[in-house]
Amino acid sequence: MIFELSPNGSGETERILHVFKDDSVDGGMPESGLVFGSGGYYCGTTEFGGHGPNLGAGTIFEGK
């Protein structure tokens, strides 16, 4: 799961950005920490998931 914590008046608010599913083409079991880029973008890798002949070989993902 990728989530964001934002401060509010009484603590923090959690916002879920993405939930990984092991049997999904978008990837499962994130493999590394997130890498953050400019403009609020992030990327990382997963151990499972993907398309094509190597289904299940993992993915590289990005989000904002």
Side-chain angles (χ1 to χ4, degrees):
M1 177 185 310
I2 299 174
F3 60 92
E4 173 182 74
L5 295 175
S6 301
N8 65 28
S10 61
E12 296 176 324
T13 301
E14 177 182 342
R15 182 173 76 126
I16 297 173
L17 302 175
H18 186 75
V19 176
F20 294 98
K21 299 175 185 144
D22 289 343
D23 61 349
S24 174
V25 295
D26 73 340
M29 293 194 64
E31 193 66 9
S32 62
L34 293 175
V35 176
F36 294 92
S38 61
Y41 285 93
Y42 58 85
C43 63
T45 61
T46 66
E47 185 175 350
F48 300 111
H51 289 283
N54 294 323
L55 181 63
T59 63
I60 299 171
F61 63 86
E62 74 170 354
K64 183 171 184 181

